């Protein structure tokens, strides 16, 4: 079974600085997707970024980028120029790309609570 | 706004009762997923439907059941409720298994 581990329960960053959130995962599959979701105090789950395992290029979305290391099974999220609105819980998630079986459900890590200091 | 709607937003009920949570997916999305978020278990997948058919089951208790109707809305039924069922229940939808899942605002269930 696949597992996702986020080893940093809490992190803090100064406004305008850069922060990196860590995520590791365990799988025997070669084809899969990885995601970062943001959950602000409103509790809404918001998709931040997506990475396909077959792509070597790291995904970027504006101030958000990932460092995907397939061999190391590592998928970290870098937030540049941090803003107060970035304060939230961040969840790393895995989804199999294999047909049959799980049919695409997400497997989540426990989350990292990010605080942004003004 | 993700386009996924869930009702009710909050639900308070007593142990032993039965409740129904409702989800309307984004327009055009055929897949609906239900997740449970609790303090001790984190975010867990419960069940998935695609175009009216059950496609996958996760850690869903036998006391819980779900269905997806012809208009693609879905309902999650929770019965014989226990204190431990108190959680945030999310519905997510996607166009299919290879597409992103977009989450609704969740239903906060409190069992007293």
């Amino acid at each position: 079974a696949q597992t996702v581990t986020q080893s940093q329960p809490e992190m803090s960053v100064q406004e305008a600085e850069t922060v990196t959130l860590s995520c590791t995962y365990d799988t025997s599959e070669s084809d899969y997707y990885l995601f970062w979701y943001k959950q602000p105090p409103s509790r809404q789950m918001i998709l931040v970024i997506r990475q396909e395992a077959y792509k070597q290029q790291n995904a970027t979305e504006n101030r958000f980028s990932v460092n995907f290391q397939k061999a190391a099974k590592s998928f970290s999220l870098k937030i540049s120029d941090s803003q107060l609105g970035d304060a939230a819980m961040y969840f790393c998630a895995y989804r199999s790309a294999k047909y049959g079986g799980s049919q695409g459900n997400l497997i989540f890590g426990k989350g990292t609570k990010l605080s942004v200091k003004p | 706004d993700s386009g996924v709607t869930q009702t009710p937003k909050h639900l308070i009920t007593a142990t032993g009762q039965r409740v129904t949570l409702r989800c309307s997916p984004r327009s055009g999305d055929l897949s609906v997923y239900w997740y449970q978020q609790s303090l001790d278990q984190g975010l867990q997948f419960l069940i998935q439907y695609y175009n009216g058919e059950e496609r996958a089951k996760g850690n869903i208790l036998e006391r819980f059941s779900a269905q997806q109707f012809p208009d693609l809305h879905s309902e999650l039924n929770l019965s014989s409720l226990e204190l431990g069922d108190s959680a945030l229940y999310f519905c997510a939808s996607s166009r299919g298994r290879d597409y992103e899942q977009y989450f609704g605002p969740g239903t906060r269930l409190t069992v007293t």
Side-chain angles (χ1 to χ4, degrees):
Chain A
Q2 296 84 17
T3 58
V4 176
T5 302
Q6 293 179 251
S7 58
Q8 307 152 315
E10 293 188 29
M11 289 200 71
S12 180
V13 64
Q14 205 72 32
E15 196 175 5
E17 296 295 308
T18 295
V19 64
T20 298
L21 308 184
S22 301
C23 172
T24 58
Y25 58 95
D26 189 28
T27 183
S28 59
E29 298 177 336
S30 59
D31 200 11
Y32 49 86
Y33 304 93
L34 295 165
F35 305 85
W36 280 97
Y37 279 85
K38 170 185 177 181
Q39 187 178 41
S42 67
R43 308 298 267 174
Q44 175 76 49
M45 294 289 288
I46 302 165
L47 177 63
V48 175
I49 201 164
R50 156 190 170 139
Q51 175 78 44
E52 291 87 344
Y54 66 85
K55 289 187 177 178
Q56 292 188 345
Q57 186 172 8
N58 290 322
T60 60
E61 285 289 340
N62 301 313
R63 297 183 294 106
F64 298 87
S65 61
V66 298
N67 183 4
F68 173 50
Q69 301 289 329
K70 191 172 183 179
K73 297 180 182 174
S74 170
F75 182 61
S76 60
L77 175 70
K78 185 171 84 171
I79 306 174
S80 304
D81 185 25
S82 296
Q83 300 175 0
L84 295 178
D86 295 334
M89 281 290 285
Y90 285 83
F91 292 94
C92 178
Y94 171 103
R95 195 185 82 203
S96 172
K98 184 178 169 184
Y99 279 88
S102 70
Q103 293 290 332
N105 61 279
L106 295 165
I107 300 169
F108 289 92
K110 294 289 187 185
T112 296
K113 183 177 181 180
L114 178 66
S115 302
V116 181
K117 297 179 181 177
Chain B
D1 185 359
S2 66
V4 180
T5 60
Q6 287 187 250
T7 56
K9 287 187 179 179
H10 302 278
L11 200 48
I12 301 174
T13 189
T15 54
Q17 295 299 304
R18 182 180 190 275
V19 297
T20 297
L21 313 183
R22 182 188 170 102
C23 167
S24 293
R26 294 186 317 158
S27 177
D29 285 0
L30 298 177
S31 274
V32 169
Y33 302 80
W34 285 97
Y35 293 88
Q36 178 196 59
Q37 184 177 28
S38 62
L39 283 174
D40 52 345
Q41 298 292 330
L43 267 159
Q44 288 196 104
F45 166 68
L46 295 178
I47 197 164
Q48 182 217 351
Y49 281 82
Y50 179 83
N51 203 21
E53 293 186 4
E54 181 185 304
R55 284 296 179 92
K57 267 188 174 181
N59 297 322
I60 188 166
L61 300 171
E62 285 192 7
R63 299 183 287 108
F64 295 1
S65 65
Q67 53 185 330
Q68 187 179 28
F69 294 87
D71 67 351
L72 300 177
H73 91 271
S74 178
E75 292 181 356
L76 179 66
N77 301 296
L78 315 177
S79 61
S80 302
L81 285 167
E82 302 175 359
L83 295 177
D85 298 328
S86 296
L88 188 55
Y89 291 84
F90 284 108
C91 166
S93 75
S94 72
R95 300 208 186 287
R97 63 178 316 286
D98 292 325
Y99 295 85
E100 286 84 358
Q101 293 179 27
Y102 291 90
F103 283 72
T107 293
R108 167 74 68 186
L109 173 65
T110 302
V111 182
T112 62

